[in-house]
């Protein structure tokens, strides 16, 4: 466990400061959310870390490229993540190894949540139990709702 003071209240600045202080890693954190009257038009981010032994001229070029970025959210709106990567790595020799689309996928399951309920103390389970003996539970990550019967809970106990 480590603790690092927040330096600015800006998430990107504070995460970069954390990486520098606790991980001793030179890094930049680029974050942006572009709001429009209709909602969020673009949101995303990138962490750029310098690997050990990186030549100073490469680091200087990266720093120059990043300093020239005025708004990450605008870059995301213009061309998505590839556009941000292109701006950050402009003028640097690079080779793309793999590209995969990003998506959020919750790995919750009925069985997994049931195992968590079984680990609760009898007192905590009783607190959650409804009048009919069932327990309602929601995944905090994706919001999927589960209803467990008395029989299911008893079979796992």
């Amino acid at each position: 466990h480590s603790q690092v003071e927040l330096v600015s209240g800006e998430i990107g600045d504070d995460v970069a400061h954390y990486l520098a202080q606790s991980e001793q890693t030179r890094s930049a954190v680029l974050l942006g959310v572009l709001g429009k009257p209709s909602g969020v038009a673009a949101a995303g981010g990138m962490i750029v870390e310098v690997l050990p032994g990186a030549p100073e001229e490469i680091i200087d070029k990266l720093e120059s490229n990043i300093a020239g970025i005025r708004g990450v959210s605008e870059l995301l709106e213009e061309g998505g993540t590839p556009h941000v990567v292109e701006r950050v790595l402009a003028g640097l020799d690079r080779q793309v190894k793999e590209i995969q689309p990003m998506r959020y996928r919750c790995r919750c399951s009925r069985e997994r949540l049931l195992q968590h309920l079984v680990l609760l103390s009898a007192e905590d389970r009783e607190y959650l139990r409804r009048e009919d003996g069932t327990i309602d539970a929601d995944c905090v990550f994706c919001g999927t709702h589960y209803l467990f019967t008395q029989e299911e809970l008893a079979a796992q106990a």
Side-chain angles (χ1 to χ4, degrees):
H1 298 285
S2 66
Q3 293 181 358
V4 175
E5 282 189 42
L6 299 177
V7 291
S8 72
E10 291 291 326
I11 294 171
D13 293 343
D14 290 337
V15 171
H17 178 71
Y18 168 81
L19 292 170
Q21 295 299 309
S22 69
E23 305 290 325
Q24 287 81 47
T25 303
R26 289 178 72 177
S27 50
V29 180
L30 309 168
L31 298 172
V33 176
L34 182 61
K36 299 279 182 167
S38 59
V40 174
M46 172 187 294
I47 296 177
V48 180
E49 292 185 350
V50 175
L51 294 174
E56 205 55 46
E57 61 271 9
I58 299 293
I59 296 170
D60 291 344
K61 181 65 176 162
L62 269 173
E63 288 176 345
S64 173
N65 289 351
I66 291 168
I69 295 175
R70 289 210 172 93
V72 175
S73 46
E74 286 81 7
L75 290 177
L76 288 166
E77 183 182 39
E78 289 170 11
T81 307
H83 190 48
V84 178
V85 171
E86 194 60 41
R87 288 287 300 274
V88 169
L89 301 178
L92 297 171
D93 186 29
R94 62 195 182 274
Q95 182 181 21
V96 176
K97 297 289 186 185
E98 183 177 9
I99 296 176
Q100 291 186 1
M102 283 187 12
R103 66 183 174 99
Y104 173 77
R105 181 179 62 91
C106 187
R107 298 183 339 195
C108 76
S109 69
R110 181 173 191 73
E111 295 74 26
R112 193 177 220 171
L113 196 50
L114 181 58
Q115 290 303 313
H116 290 288
L117 288 173
V118 170
L119 293 175
L120 293 175
S121 69
E123 181 181 319
D124 288 339
R125 276 197 309 274
E126 194 55 41
Y127 176 76
L128 296 173
R129 197 175 309 272
R130 295 175 11 174
E131 287 182 21
D132 64 0
T134 61
I135 291 181
D136 275 317
D138 296 323
C139 174
V140 297
F141 300 107
C142 68
T144 300
H145 179 76
Y146 297 97
L147 179 67
F148 297 95
T149 65
Q150 288 183 36
E151 294 76 26
E152 288 175 297
L153 295 164
Q156 294 293 319

